[in-house]
């Protein structure tokens, strides 16, 4: 398993995207909506997702912050979910979501974690 992406909520997606491109060597892959979400990648393959932070108190998907781990197959995702559930963690079975076979759980510290296989 490897850390695949980090999704950060920011008040100004365009300005933050420009900073990471200009100063830290990230490459812009795409932007969705009107600077609502930007996807960047570094030379090592880490994906940095910048999501617009909502200030109206009604934050919806994506959750303001999460880290994502990708596994090599859907079977590996299911096996990890089953081990976690058997170990007493509150985790729902994986489903197809946002183009990936994935599940989410909240780690200690209230950190949202995504575990997925993306074909």
């Amino acid at each position: 398993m490897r850390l695949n992406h980090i999704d950060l909520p920011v008040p100004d997606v365009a300005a933050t995207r420009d900073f990471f491109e200009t100063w830290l060597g990230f490459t812009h892959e795409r932007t969705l909506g009107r600077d609502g979400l930007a996807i960047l990648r570094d030379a090592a393959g880490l994906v940095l997702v910048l999501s617009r932070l909502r200030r109206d108190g009604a934050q919806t998907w994506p959750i303001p912050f999460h880290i994502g781990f990708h596994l090599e197959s859907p079977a590996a995702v299911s096996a990890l979910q089953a081990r976690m559930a058997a170990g007493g963690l509150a985790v729902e079975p994986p489903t197809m979501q946002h183009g990936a076979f994935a599940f989410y759980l909240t780690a200690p510290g209230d950190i949202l974690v995504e575990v997925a296989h993306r074909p």
Side-chain angles (χ1 to χ4, degrees):
M1 178 177 352
R2 68 179 175 86
L3 178 61
N4 172 266
H5 68 272
I6 298 172
D7 186 328
L8 300 174
V10 297
D12 186 334
V13 171
T16 307
R17 177 188 65 224
D18 292 346
F19 173 85
F20 277 94
E21 283 186 285
T22 302
W23 301 108
L24 298 175
F26 279 78
T27 302
H28 176 241
E29 291 192 350
R30 68 181 175 203
T31 296
L32 305 174
R34 294 185 192 148
D35 284 322
L37 182 137
I39 301 170
L40 300 97
R41 187 179 300 268
D42 74 2
L46 175 72
V47 175
L48 176 62
V49 178
L50 305 171
S51 302
R52 183 182 306 127
L53 176 65
R54 292 184 56 171
R55 297 192 180 274
D56 64 4
Q59 183 73 40
T60 58
W61 184 261
I63 302 299
F65 172 84
H66 76 273
I67 58 174
F69 292 90
H70 282 194
L71 296 177
E72 65 279 358
S73 68
V77 172
S78 293
L80 180 55
Q81 183 277 334
R83 283 196 317 272
M84 289 176 157
L89 297 178
V91 57
E92 296 293 321
T95 60
M96 286 302 297
Q97 314 178 41
H98 311 288
F101 185 67
F103 67 89
Y104 293 82
L105 73 149
T106 303
D110 205 25
I111 299 169
L112 183 63
V113 175
E114 170 190 326
V115 177
H117 170 75
R118 199 171 291 278

